[in-house]
Amino acid sequence: MQDQALFEYVLRLADDSLILGQRLGEWCGHGPILEEDIALTNISLDLIGQAISLYDLASELEGAGKNHDQLAYLRFENEYKNVLLVEQPNGDFAMTILRQFFFDAFRLPLYEALMQSPVAQLAAIAAKSVKETRYHLKHTSEWVIRMGDGTDESHERAQAAIDHLWRYTSELFFEDNIDEQLQERQLVPSLKGIQANWMETVKAVLSEATLTIPTNNWKFEGGRQGRHSEHMGYILADLQYMQRAYPNMEW
Amino acid sequence: MSTTQWPLWEVFIRSKQGLNHKHVGSLRAPDATLALENARDVYTRRSEGISIWVVESANIHATDIDDADSFFEPSDTKIYRHPTFYEVPDGVKHM
Amino acid sequence: MTQAEQERRFLDKIDREIKIEPNDWMPDEYRQTLIRQISQHAHSEIVGMLPEGNWITRAPNLRRKAVLLAKVQDEAGHGLYLYSATETLGADREQLMDDMHSGKAKYSSIFNYPALTWADIGTIGWLVDGAAIMNQVALCRTSYGPYARAMVKICKEESFHQRQGYESLMKLCNGTPQQKAMAQDAMNRFWWPALMMFGPSDAESTHSDQSIKWKIKRFTNDELRQSFVDATVSQAEILGLTIPDPNLKWNEERGHYDFSEINWEEFWQVVKGNGPCNKERIAARLKAKQEGLWVREAANAFAKKRAMKKSA
């Protein structure tokens, strides 16, 4: 099966999951308390699992005979199509949770919509992932509210994380001719509707958390086209280390 | 309690429909909502449950170990509460 | 009831294999021994996350990455189950962790050795978890109920840890010469520290006698170490790895393998804080604690605010 546009689309989803899962994996063993250490790893595991399914589908759509690991591990930096948001460093717990919250609030309505996709495999992945993502969003929302309406320090940290990450959020809704083409073929939803849904969630949670939405809407974009931040090279140096240092071996 | 220490909660899990919730352990959480979420992440990673109860440990009332004799031994002698106490002829069925 | 009578009752329960439960009367020394041993065990689980955790971002493929994440996460869970068991004895998790950070409480020395290559991850699963399981299976029958129950749960979950390690090494040993060499190198570095995991020899062990009498421990350090060696030799043969001990030899008369004397000087040095990674491990745990303080404080403050709102 070859479907270049759909391949690119699925690759974007897969790269988002992989890179965010990779970032969360850095927390394992270093969480603020054991219970939350375990919770963050659960989210990471869900994302890695989603990435595997999505890369399997992508490789089928590409039709080049690659397996999910070859797609995940053996591309150059500008061939990764994840948004800039997911590659941002973990920072403190507030930064990690807010990054995850912004992402979850986007992924949940997207998966809900993709469950209706006539691409059966994509709909199946969405149906499985939607349950995981709903839980992630619940958990991160609880934490955003607790940090925002907790102590002065936690409020400041949460607000600082929002102020920093806000610039990366509009890229979640980036659309180009790949999206347009697939929307025309009625295979995927328009991200405009997803964005409205996202904004509603963000407003509701931040308001309960007594946190404010930044007014500067200047956009940072590039990830979807393979132009990343400086962090990406280091992520790949770790991720690809074994595959690059010991090529063509099985592990 | 210090401001950074979370209270202790006891966790009870129903492993499947038709069974009682059973005590599986404890954990720390700041409130009931997060206690449930933590219990889900800590105690049901291998599909151990379909329903969770959490109770703050401080809210559990237990019998005093020193009262154990007076609480529980008196029932040991009431053997007539058990079906095996009664004799029934061999031929009687469905009883 | 007099103290002597209570003590007699307690020992009678131990003799009859009746578990001791949290509110039962127990000698203070029994309680302290348990808190020390269980917390040491809990600390080992938590510190044990670090050497393996440092390979999560570099795992060679997605399946191995997920397996490693799940395994290291289990260790956090096991630490938590064990801390819970100590809390039934009146201990406090935070206090126990602080004792570890200050060096007052110990954890298994094996985690003060570095995980240098990917083969170390397989080797840790096979040898280190293998040695731990040897210990833990014996502890499933320990006399203190909450400890025994935690161990049963832990053993059940850990059964995948050793297998995934062995499977991962199998890949290396059936792979390229470079991979095989990587596996042998890991074996060479981890074999002796793994044997040290069972603790000092029986002649040197200060706590052993009493712990055996109270059935906290069911086997001595040397007995468990011997079982581990006996079980591991054939597993190494199947992998095609050489155990780095020229004196390792089957002893027909004893029905066990003979092996060289452990380098006890190294053992005690590492216990005392002079292992390759002692300082790094403690520093990492301390950092996690300190950076988590504001998070816990925030959640407590929020809970308090909500409770006040509710009652208002």
Side-chain angles (χ1 to χ4, degrees):
Chain A
M1 189 193 337
Q2 260 179 323
D3 188 330
Q4 188 61 27
L6 195 55
F7 164 71
E8 290 274 346
Y9 184 89
V10 174
L11 202 57
R12 290 172 178 183
L13 294 174
D15 288 345
D16 281 353
S17 297
L18 173 67
I19 300 301
L20 190 53
Q22 172 85 354
R23 274 295 190 212
L24 285 178
E26 295 170 21
W27 269 105
C28 189
H30 307 277
I33 187 165
L34 280 179
E35 285 81 350
E36 194 54 33
D37 202 307
I38 294 171
L40 288 174
T41 305
N42 263 354
I43 300 179
S44 176
L45 275 169
D46 286 342
L47 289 167
I48 300 291
Q50 292 174 17
I52 292 176
S53 309
L54 289 162
Y55 284 128
D56 279 337
L57 174 56
S59 79
E60 213 179 307
L61 293 165
E62 188 188 29
K66 290 182 192 161
N67 63 31
H68 58 240
D69 287 322
Q70 286 165 322
L71 277 176
Y73 283 79
L74 294 175
R75 282 175 293 148
F76 293 105
E77 185 176 331
N78 60 6
E79 294 169 321
Y80 284 84
K81 300 297 166 62
N82 55 280
V83 289
L84 299 176
L85 176 73
V86 296
E87 69 197 48
Q88 296 312 304
N90 286 341
D92 62 5
F93 184 70
M95 194 69 81
T96 293
I97 290 293
L98 261 307
R99 182 185 64 196
Q100 189 68 37
F101 167 70
F102 287 141
F103 182 77
D104 296 336
F106 153 71
R107 259 295 166 89
L108 181 62
L110 179 60
Y111 276 141
E112 279 168 349
L114 285 172
M115 284 167 67
Q116 314 304 325
S117 170
V119 184
Q121 290 141 297
L122 187 53
I125 294 170
K128 176 176 170 285
S129 308
V130 82
K131 295 177 197 155
E132 298 170 346
T133 309
R134 193 169 290 133
Y135 183 81
H136 303 169
L137 179 60
K138 174 167 166 36
H139 190 69
T140 51
S141 302
E142 299 288 1
W143 268 113
V144 171
I145 293 164
R146 277 158 187 73
M147 289 189 292
D149 199 13
T151 61
D152 289 346
E153 181 182 4
S154 67
H155 181 91
E156 269 167 41
R157 285 176 182 266
Q159 189 62 54
I162 293 166
D163 293 348
H164 176 70
L165 293 172
W166 192 252
R167 69 196 68 180
Y168 302 110
T169 54
S170 65
E171 194 193 8
L172 292 166
F173 312 100
F174 172 91
E175 288 184 320
D176 62 8
N177 57 356
I178 290 169
D179 301 83
E180 283 158 21
Q181 210 194 106
L182 296 173
Q183 285 169 24
E184 231 160 78
R185 288 160 64 195
Q186 301 193 324
L187 301 183
V188 306
S190 155
L191 291 180
K192 304 251 170 7
I194 306 291
Q195 185 164 20
N197 194 315
W198 179 85
M199 194 48 122
E200 215 173 287
T201 308
V202 168
K203 272 186 179 156
V205 172
L206 294 197
S207 139
E208 189 174 350
T210 70
L211 294 163
T212 41
I213 293 178
T215 46
N216 187 347
N217 282 319
W218 181 246
K219 293 175 190 177
F220 278 42
E221 281 181 356
R224 288 280 185 247
Q225 295 134 300
R227 275 195 332 275
H228 292 279
S229 57
E230 286 183 347
H231 309 295
M232 191 66 182
Y234 293 97
I235 293 176
L236 295 185
D238 268 4
L239 179 78
Q240 299 184 341
Y241 165 63
M242 290 296 293
Q243 291 284 350
R244 297 295 192 195
Y246 304 92
N248 304 316
M249 295 184 203
E250 280 190 43
W251 304 95
Chain B
M1 179 155 307
S2 86
T3 56
T4 58
Q5 175 84 296
W6 289 349
L8 197 62
W9 300 72
E10 300 301 322
V11 181
F12 302 80
I13 290 180
R14 186 199 295 287
S15 58
K16 62 178 190 190
Q17 213 66 15
L19 296 180
N20 282 323
H21 285 76
K22 195 177 148 206
H23 183 242
V24 295
S26 57
L27 48 73
R28 297 261 171 197
D31 54 55
T33 307
L34 283 185
L36 285 169
E37 293 186 12
N38 291 345
R40 177 255 195 197
D41 287 325
V42 173
Y43 289 105
T44 68
R45 297 198 302 286
R46 288 176 171 79
S47 316
E48 292 95 334
I50 56 158
S51 164
I52 303 176
W53 287 349
V54 291
V55 183
E56 215 178 317
S57 309
N59 288 333
I60 298 227
H61 301 269
T63 51
D64 191 330
I65 192 69
D66 292 334
D67 295 336
D69 294 355
S70 55
F71 255 72
F72 306 113
E73 277 178 27
S75 79
D76 290 352
T77 54
K78 315 285 192 295
I79 49 175
Y80 43 76
R81 287 200 175 111
H82 300 277
T84 46
F85 180 75
Y86 303 92
E87 274 183 39
V88 174
D90 284 347
V92 178
K93 288 180 182 153
H94 307 301
M95 188 181 280
Chain C
M1 217 181 292
T2 67
Q3 166 108 6
E5 230 170 12
Q6 278 177 318
E7 188 140 6
R8 194 187 47 70
R9 268 195 166 197
F10 168 81
L11 288 173
D12 180 55
K13 272 191 207 157
I14 299 270
D15 281 346
R16 292 192 293 134
E17 300 283 334
I18 294 173
K19 297 275 185 242
I20 307 301
E21 293 296 342
N23 293 324
D24 293 354
W25 185 91
M26 62 185 87
D28 199 46
E29 210 192 320
Y30 176 84
R31 184 185 299 272
Q32 296 313 324
T33 302
L34 277 172
I35 292 176
R36 193 189 61 244
Q37 184 178 327
I38 304 172
S39 66
Q40 203 166 309
H41 193 160
H43 301 331
S44 302
E45 296 280 355
I46 301 310
V47 177
M49 297 172 77
L50 300 170
E52 290 179 280
N54 105 67
W55 276 90
I56 288 170
T57 57
R58 290 177 292 167
N61 59 46
L62 293 179
R63 177 172 175 266
R64 294 279 173 213
K65 192 187 286 291
V67 168
L68 186 57
L69 270 165
K71 174 178 190 280
V72 180
Q73 182 194 45
D74 269 352
E75 278 149 20
H78 298 169
L80 205 154
Y81 306 156
L82 289 162
Y83 285 123
S84 298
T86 64
E87 296 194 288
T88 65
L89 290 157
D92 174 278
R93 192 207 293 185
E94 285 311 298
Q95 183 58 51
L96 294 173
M97 282 184 162
D98 287 344
D99 287 347
M100 187 234 313
H101 299 151
S102 73
K104 194 177 145 206
K106 304 289 177 210
Y107 54 88
S108 181
S109 281
I110 190 82
F111 303 117
N112 291 317
Y113 290 86
L116 300 175
T117 70
W118 176 252
D120 289 18
I121 299 306
T123 307
I124 289 172
W126 172 40
L127 293 180
V128 175
D129 288 277
I133 289 167
M134 200 56 87
N135 230 325
Q136 290 165 350
V137 167
L139 286 171
C140 290
R141 290 172 51 228
T142 190
S143 58
Y144 185 58
Y147 191 19
R149 290 192 287 275
M151 289 320 309
V152 169
K153 200 167 162 55
I154 289 171
C155 284
K156 228 189 256 172
E157 298 191 353
E158 284 228 340
S159 52
F160 104 77
H161 294 187
Q162 194 185 13
R163 290 176 74 113
Q164 66 82 30
Y166 196 77
E167 184 208 70
S168 160
L169 283 179
M170 212 61 201
K171 277 267 186 216
L172 300 193
C173 291
N174 293 331
T176 64
Q178 207 178 6
Q179 285 174 298
K180 179 89 187 264
M182 192 192 275
Q184 182 64 55
D185 167 64
M187 172 88 186
N188 294 347
R189 282 181 290 110
F190 275 95
W191 175 252
W192 290 108
L195 292 195
M196 292 177 198
M197 284 175 69
F198 296 95
S201 70
D202 296 348
E204 298 281 323
S205 181
T206 41
H207 307 297
S208 247
D209 276 1
Q210 187 60 352
S211 288
I212 295 264
K213 214 175 91 198
W214 279 334
K215 295 186 184 170
I216 294 176
K217 284 175 78 166
R218 313 290 309 219
F219 300 97
T220 70
N221 295 353
D222 286 336
E223 285 167 353
L224 289 167
R225 188 166 13 242
Q226 183 70 59
S227 310
F228 175 70
V229 173
D230 292 346
T232 308
V233 172
S234 70
Q235 295 169 358
E237 275 166 13
I238 290 170
L239 288 169
L241 294 176
T242 309
I243 293 178
D245 181 357
N247 298 319
L248 184 83
K249 199 165 81 238
W250 178 252
N251 183 327
E252 194 64 55
E253 204 176 308
R254 293 202 307 126
H256 292 294
Y257 281 92
D258 289 336
F259 53 97
S260 301
E261 186 67 16
I262 283 171
N263 180 349
W264 294 112
E265 164 75 9
E266 177 180 329
F267 173 82
W268 289 113
Q269 283 290 347
V270 180
V271 168
K272 283 181 192 130
N274 297 319
C277 302
N278 294 56
K279 292 195 172 59
E280 289 81 351
R281 302 294 185 238
I282 294 292
R285 288 309 312 161
L286 200 54
K287 184 165 179 275
K289 179 200 158 131
Q290 281 160 351
E291 291 179 356
L293 287 179
W294 72 266
V295 179
R296 305 186 204 176
E297 204 162 21
N300 272 341
F302 174 83
K304 220 166 150 186
K305 279 188 204 173
R306 287 296 150 117
M308 266 161 62
K309 244 189 210 165
K310 228 177 172 179
S311 63

